[in-house]
């Protein structure tokens, strides 16, 4: 029987040169999580089904990978938020609050197989969890981490699109539209994915009368903080609602804190179209888009929530988080041709000995370079010069050193820069 | 219903301060993999059951996590070798050989729950896979990587215990004991776990007659390469077998190459008790033990094999690999009290502002420090001096800076070294 060697559909598996680029992106994300003092935690991929499904239902339940082992009803985690809530509830007495945690790992959803949809994928999450009241400074820090990550990653200009759920909730309550809250939020949530005519039709279906004009005015608030605040204050004068005013105050505080934290104003757009689905979030919400590739949707998003561990603990914990769906982001960038796969080795340097004595010298040069903290590979079988440089080319190393009898005799060991052809002394690396 | 918030039995879940130490060890392993030019690959945790069980059977099949999703018979991987074999077979035309791959990831075995036995655990593997004949230089490199890892990790003195399967196979064939090969290898494999009397009894049961004396002589060969070679050559004179001579030659070449690669002779012990189980390996085999904690067994092991992808490809690929079972290693070191959990944050520096204006200054100092590539945390709510240093203590940061009105006025911003009490200028970090 011929055994199928392909990975399962919906599971991304990369070639080494692609994996190197994937890992580079992953390491940038990790670095910025650490630079802000987030500690990483690592929860099991398998959980009790009752734990995972305590809150979930509907689509989640259908998509979950669920199985029995002995008498145990087990499932693979479908996100990192539920395991983090369980972890936090389980270790309440031993964690320091505010608890700033990073978690990067694979999650599983048995979605219908489809291009660009994954059944196993990486989520890269940060959250700050508090026991007491949290100011929007925490929201700002989470957004500042996302800003630093994408600034370093250089996938082109990007925009942090920010809103606050107190605003839309305040409008809905101020306009006494509470019975249609879900429909209104869902409509705003999909407003960018439908045509203006479709929007009008669907808005009319909601039978909001004149009130739709205020909602339209609201979702057209977009721009820098000063601009948006003026427009929002206009609306505040009409609807006169406390939650709406709270939203304005939080947005204003967030705007100035982001600037104080060094986030560039040109990367921030306050945008009332941002809702982030129906439930869960209660304050700040944000998404991130690449300016030149808006069609790919949000590449990092998150927000403020009120009650993380409701299903696991009596303690009321609030938090703010941000998530990057790395597998889908990587796939999308690769499809757009925005990634370079230049190297098939983690080594920057390659040493290529032409004989046995040269090999021994190669070992000692390699040790010296590794002691400097650099990555270097040695070809472990002697090669001739022509073949050697072909290998160096194929591997995509930046520097290659050929060691023959002459180099050994004269004790001259230099690396050739594979792009410029220039030679570099050992002392200079 | 109260929901159980504990992780499943047999699944390790660490507190932040433990996870920081776990990650430090993991990163040392990754660093040395990269420094030798191994590229990391990442295969799905879920595989087709037929793929995973192509070779396995017995215990493996009983322990596997297996389930259906739709019509698909799926399982969680129980090691990284089988997925790597599938990956290599699947990408044969696109990989560069020798293919030096690193894979670090979680694997799953539904063992009976028991202290120190894990159902989800990390393996940290490297392998070099070749299409053609491989010299023992490759074996040496894999061992050199393990050497560099444990040298940096500093868990005390350690010994690389090395043998070669051609030696014992040569003896068995030279003594015409082929029909008892498995039993003899299994006896040697467990020799250290049983008493000398038990060994004698079990050896007698095998009814090897005088031949047991040669086997005993063999398994007592232990020491540095010169010493062991003398003893092995004595045995060679008695049994006169080609495979045995091949084993001697390979051991000799490996010994000198390891020294050339900079592995310290004091960390190497050639030891004929090392067998590494019944099948799979065909040449070099090795284990690693901590000299002061021999009871914990091997902490890193591996060897040479002849046919990696037999079940997945017609191409005959040979290789040499090494594996560290990190979860168990970490658990054991923690049990022995050999690990320190000093810090609850990834940040080395903590900035503690006493008011709102001071907070704004804290943000800009933090940005400056992050630009230098360092990890720094800011307390996002103003605190008083007493509370501030208590927090710094609890978090276990190395340096903490309090910013009050005075510091702001005089523009003097210094970090206090939390262990020495000395103050450090911003310029010096």
């Amino acid at each position: 029987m011929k055994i199928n060697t392909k990975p399962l559909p919906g599971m991304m598996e990369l070639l080494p040169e692609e994996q190197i680029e994937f890992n580079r992106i992953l390491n940038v994300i990790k670095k910025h999580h650490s630079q802000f003092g987030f500690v990483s935690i690592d929860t099991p991929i398998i959980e009790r089904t009752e734990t995972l499904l305590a809150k979930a239902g509907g689509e989640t339940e259908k998509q979950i990978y669920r199985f029995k082992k002995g008498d145990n009803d087990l499932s693979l985690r479908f996100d990192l938020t539920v395991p983090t809530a369980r972890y936090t509830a389980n270790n309440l007495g031993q964690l320091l609050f505010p608890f700033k945690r990073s978690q990067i790992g694979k999650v599983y959803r048995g979605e219908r197989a489809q291009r660009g949809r994954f059944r196993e994928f990486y989520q890269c999450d940060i959250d700050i969890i508090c026991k007491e009241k949290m100011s929007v400074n925490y929201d700002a820090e989470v957004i500042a981490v996302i800003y630093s990550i994408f600034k370093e990653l250089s996938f082109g200009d990007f925009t942090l699109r920010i809103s606050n759920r107190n605003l839309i909730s305040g409008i809905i309550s101020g306009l006494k539209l509470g019975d249609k809250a879900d429909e209104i939020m869902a409509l705003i949530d999909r407003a960018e994915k439908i045509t203006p005519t479709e929007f009008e039709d669907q808005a009319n279906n909601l039978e909001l009368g004149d009130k739709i004009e205020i909602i339209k005015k609201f979702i057209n608030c977009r721009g820098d903080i000063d601009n948006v605040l003026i427009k929002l204050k206009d609306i505040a004068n009409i609807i006169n609602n406390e939650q709406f005013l709270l939203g304005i105050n939080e947005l204003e505080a967030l705007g100035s804190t982001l600037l104080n934290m060094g986030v560039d104003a040109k990367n921030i757009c306050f945008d009332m179209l941002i809702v982030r689905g129906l439930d869960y979030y209660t304050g700040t919400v944000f998404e991130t888009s690449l300016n030149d590739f808006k069609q790919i949707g949000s590449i990092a998003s998150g927000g403020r929530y009120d009650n993380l561990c409701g299903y696991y603990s009596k303690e009321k914990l609030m938090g703010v988080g941000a998530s990057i769906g790395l597998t889908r982001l990587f796939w999308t960038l690769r499809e757009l041709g925005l990634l370079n796969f230049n190297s098939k080795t983690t080594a920057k340097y390659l040493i290529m000995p032409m004989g046995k004595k040269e090999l021994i010298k190669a070992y000692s040069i390699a040790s010296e370079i590794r002691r400097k903290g650099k990555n270097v590979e040695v070809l472990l079988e002697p090669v001739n010069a022509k073949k050697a440089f072909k290998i160096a080319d194929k591997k995509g190393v930046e520097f290659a050193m050929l060691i023959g009898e002459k180099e050994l005799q004269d004790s001259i060991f230099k690396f050739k820069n594979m792009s410029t052809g220039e030679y570099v002394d050992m002392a200079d690396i």
Side-chain angles (χ1 to χ4, degrees), chain A:
Chain A
M1 185 182 65
K2 171 95 176 68
I3 287 186
N4 188 345
T5 59
K6 290 209 173 61
L8 286 162
M11 312 251 162
M12 183 186 269
E13 188 169 88
L14 301 172
L15 288 170
E17 57 270 34
E18 297 169 319
Q19 190 71 51
I20 286 170
E21 178 64 7
F22 185 95
N23 292 353
R24 183 187 73 81
I25 299 172
L26 189 66
N27 287 332
V28 169
I29 295 172
K30 279 186 188 168
K31 183 183 95 178
H32 289 279
H33 289 186
S34 294
Q35 285 204 338
F36 282 80
F38 287 79
V39 291
S40 86
I41 66 165
D42 184 9
T43 66
I45 282 172
I46 310 178
E47 296 269 4
R48 292 178 186 85
T49 301
E50 61 161 20
T51 306
L52 285 190
L53 293 184
K55 181 180 176 184
E59 270 312 291
T60 311
E61 194 158 347
K62 263 182 259 165
Q63 292 180 353
I64 205 167
Y65 284 91
R66 180 173 180 172
F67 53 93
K68 289 234 167 193
K69 182 80 183 167
D71 291 335
N72 300 311
D73 183 359
L74 306 175
S75 292
L76 304 187
R77 65 187 181 196
F78 56 83
D79 73 4
L80 301 175
T81 307
V82 175
T84 291
R86 178 193 55 69
Y87 175 96
T88 307
N90 194 47
N91 297 298
L92 265 185
Q94 288 166 280
L95 298 175
L96 272 189
F97 289 90
F99 176 39
K100 293 171 66 169
R101 89 91 178 74
S102 148
Q103 189 170 9
I104 294 177
K106 289 176 170 181
V107 303
Y108 296 84
R109 294 184 196 174
E111 297 204 60
R112 224 154 54 85
Q114 206 182 326
R115 266 180 70 76
R117 284 277 166 190
F118 294 94
R119 292 172 174 173
E120 175 185 76
F121 56 97
Y122 276 94
Q123 284 196 332
C124 308
D125 284 14
I126 45 170
D127 284 85
I128 310 177
I129 300 161
C130 279
K131 280 183 170 180
E132 293 140 48
K133 209 168 159 335
M134 298 175 80
S135 73
V136 291
N137 297 345
Y138 297 92
D139 308 25
E141 181 165 79
V142 161
I143 296 173
V145 174
I146 296 294
Y147 167 78
S148 333
I149 290 169
F150 286 101
K151 198 166 168 231
E152 174 159 353
L153 284 175
S154 304
F155 298 140
D157 288 339
F158 64 92
T159 302
L160 300 157
R161 303 172 70 198
I162 303 169
S163 182
N164 188 303
R165 287 282 283 266
N166 286 311
L167 293 167
I168 183 63
S169 296
I171 288 190
I172 289 171
S173 136
L175 294 176
K176 307 205 185 324
L177 290 170
D179 55 329
K180 291 176 180 167
D182 284 0
E183 289 89 336
I184 294 169
M185 297 233 248
L187 178 62
I188 301 177
D189 202 34
R190 66 174 176 268
E192 286 186 296
K193 291 167 202 138
I194 57 181
T195 64
T197 323
E198 284 168 336
F199 182 86
E200 288 297 330
D201 288 349
Q202 296 176 22
N204 285 338
N205 289 343
L206 291 181
E207 299 180 351
L208 304 176
D210 288 352
K211 296 172 179 173
I212 185 67
E213 293 310 317
I214 293 179
I215 292 172
K216 278 200 217 163
K217 194 171 169 154
F218 172 69
I219 63 178
N220 281 320
C221 296
R222 184 173 308 111
D224 61 35
I225 189 69
D226 295 334
N227 206 313
V228 166
L229 284 175
I230 291 169
K231 291 181 188 166
L232 290 176
K233 283 170 184 169
D234 274 353
I235 298 175
N237 288 333
I238 307 172
I239 64 159
N240 192 18
N241 173 279
E242 273 200 25
Q243 193 177 5
F244 191 78
L245 291 176
L246 173 68
I248 290 182
N249 288 339
E250 289 187 355
L251 212 62
E252 186 164 16
L254 183 66
S256 62
T257 305
L258 284 172
L259 298 182
N260 288 332
M261 285 184 171
V263 177
D264 195 325
K266 82 177 195 328
N267 294 97
I268 306 174
C269 177
F270 288 91
D271 187 338
M272 300 307 117
L273 277 172
I274 301 303
V275 177
R276 299 296 312 147
L278 279 184
D279 47 21
Y280 198 65
Y281 294 114
T282 52
T284 300
V285 282
F286 77 96
E287 297 188 352
T288 313
S289 59
L290 294 177
N291 296 0
D292 296 330
F293 306 97
K294 287 191 177 140
Q295 73 277 17
I296 72 179
S298 177
I299 56 174
S301 53
R304 171 68 82 93
Y305 45 86
D306 256 359
N307 193 357
L308 176 68
C309 300
Y311 293 87
Y312 309 118
S313 165
K314 278 174 204 155
E315 184 100 37
K316 196 176 165 194
L317 298 171
M318 62 202 75
V320 58
S323 182
I324 301 175
L326 182 55
T327 302
R328 188 171 155 74
L329 174 61
F330 182 87
W331 182 87
T332 307
L333 295 171
R334 189 179 60 179
E335 290 288 303
L336 291 169
L338 290 177
L339 301 176
N340 293 315
F341 307 124
N342 297 323
S343 178
K344 293 197 175 213
T345 170
T346 53
K348 189 172 175 182
Y349 302 91
L350 181 68
I351 308 178
M352 311 175 297
M354 296 178 71
K356 286 201 172 179
K357 263 190 284 176
E358 291 84 351
L359 186 51
I360 293 173
K361 184 67 195 173
Y363 294 144
S364 77
I365 295 177
S367 296
E368 199 181 325
I369 296 173
R370 286 183 195 122
R371 251 178 268 126
K372 295 183 184 179
K374 316 256 175 168
N375 301 349
V376 56
E377 190 174 335
V378 174
L379 295 186
L380 296 176
E381 298 295 341
V383 281
N384 64 46
K386 201 176 153 190
K387 199 176 162 199
F389 280 105
K390 268 192 193 159
I391 294 173
D393 261 338
K394 273 197 201 164
K395 281 186 180 279
V397 292
E398 287 180 52
F399 298 93
M401 175 191 287
L402 189 71
I403 308 182
E405 257 178 69
K406 192 171 161 17
E407 284 79 9
L408 210 54
Q409 217 161 37
D410 303 348
S411 249
I412 296 181
F413 305 105
K414 293 190 174 195
F415 277 102
K416 183 179 174 182
N417 180 321
M418 293 295 289
S419 16
T420 66
E422 280 165 19
Y423 282 85
V424 185
D425 267 343
M426 273 291 291
D428 296 331
I429 66 165

